[in-house]
Amino acid sequence: MANSRGMLILFSGPSGVGKDTVLDVVLKKEKSLQKSVSITTRNKRENEVDGKDYYFISIPEFERMINNGEVLEFARYGRNLYGTPKAPVDRWLAEGKTVILKIEVKGAAKIKKKYPDAVAIFLMPPSMDELESRLRFRGTESEEDIRRRLEIARNEVKKSADYDYVVVNDSIDCASDNVLTIIKSLDFTYKRMNNFISEVLDNV
Ligand code: 5GP
C-alpha cells in the first residue's frame, strides 16, 4: 500500500492570525492527526494549559534540553524561546502518523532542511489591519508586545514565499477545511504512492 512513514506538516502564520483556533478545529475534524506540543520560556496565558498548549519551562531547563539533544529545532520569538521536543515527533513519524508542528518561520526553515519532505502551510490574515485588530481583541499582550508581534508579522508574511501552501483565515470553518484538504491530498502524491505502484507492477 502507500508509504507507511508519517508526514510532517509545518503550520505557521503571524501571531494573532488564528493558528490555534484553526488547528483546534482541524484536530477535532481529523482525529488521526497528531499535534506536537512545544516547549517555551514564555509565561502561560490565562486560558492555556501546561502540557496541552505548551510545556512552560524555565530558561535553564530549556538550555538543558538543547544541550542534551532533546530539541529538534528552537527559535527566539520576541523575548522568548520556543522549541520542538524531538523524541515524540520521531516516534509518531515512525508509527506512520501525520504530525503537525505549530512553528514560526525560522524554525520551519530549519525543519525543512532536516526533513525535506515536510509540507509547509502558511496561515495568512485577510489584511494587516485585521491582524492588528485580532491581536488587540485577544487582549493577552502588552502594547509593547503587540507592536513587536506586528513588526515580526510583516517579515513573516514576506517569508510565506518559502511555504508550499497559503491559506487565508477569513473564516475559521473555511480555513480549517482548506488545511484539511491540503493534508488529505498529500496521501495521493506519487511519492507516497510509488511503493503501491511497484507492488502492483510486481504482481502482473
Ligand atoms: P505564541 O507566543 O503566540 O504562542 O507563539 C509565538 C510564535 O512561536 C508563533 O509564531 C508560534 O507558531 C511559534 N512557535 C510555537 N511553538 C514553536 C516551536 O516549537 N518552535 C518554533 N520555532 N516556533 C514555535
Side-chain angles (χ1 to χ4, degrees), residues 11 18-31 33 35 100 169 171-180:
F11 191 56
K19 289 188 297 285
D20 291 300
T21 319
V22 169
L23 205 49
D24 278 351
V25 177
V26 166
L27 294 169
K28 268 194 198 115
K29 286 184 178 169
E30 186 50 68
K31 300 266 191 295
L33 299 174
K35 181 191 153 210
I100 304 192
N169 186 18
S171 114
I172 291 160
D173 222 35
C174 282
S176 55
D177 277 347
N178 289 335
V179 169
L180 275 171

Side-chain angles (χ1 to χ4, degrees), residues 11-15 19-20 38-39 42 45 48 54 73-75 77 82-84 102-104 106-108 138 141 149 156:
F11 191 56
S12 303
S15 180
K19 289 188 297 285
D20 291 300
S38 298
I39 49 171
R42 112 157 136 63
R45 294 178 190 140
E48 288 179 322
Y54 284 104
E73 63 70 43
F74 70 96
Y77 177 94
Y82 296 81
T84 308
K102 192 190 72 161
I103 191 164
E104 53 65 67
K106 291 179 290 214
R138 190 161 85 178
E141 271 84 25
R149 280 172 184 256
E156 287 187 317

Side-chain angles (χ1 to χ4, degrees), residues 100-115:
I100 304 192
L101 308 187
K102 192 190 72 161
I103 191 164
E104 53 65 67
V105 295
K106 291 179 290 214
K110 286 182 205 161
I111 298 272
K112 265 277 196 185
K113 280 206 179 116
K114 283 189 198 166
Y115 298 81

Side-chain angles (χ1 to χ4, degrees), residues 64-110:
R64 188 198 62 73
M65 287 182 72
I66 291 169
N67 293 336
N68 280 355
E70 294 172 34
V71 178
L72 205 53
E73 63 70 43
F74 70 96
R76 178 175 290 280
Y77 177 94
R79 280 179 300 190
N80 300 301
L81 294 167
Y82 296 81
T84 308
K86 185 172 186 305
V89 172
D90 284 346
R91 190 180 66 243
W92 289 323
L93 289 178
E95 286 168 2
K97 293 191 172 142
T98 298
V99 183
I100 304 192
L101 308 187
K102 192 190 72 161
I103 191 164
E104 53 65 67
V105 295
K106 291 179 290 214
K110 286 182 205 161

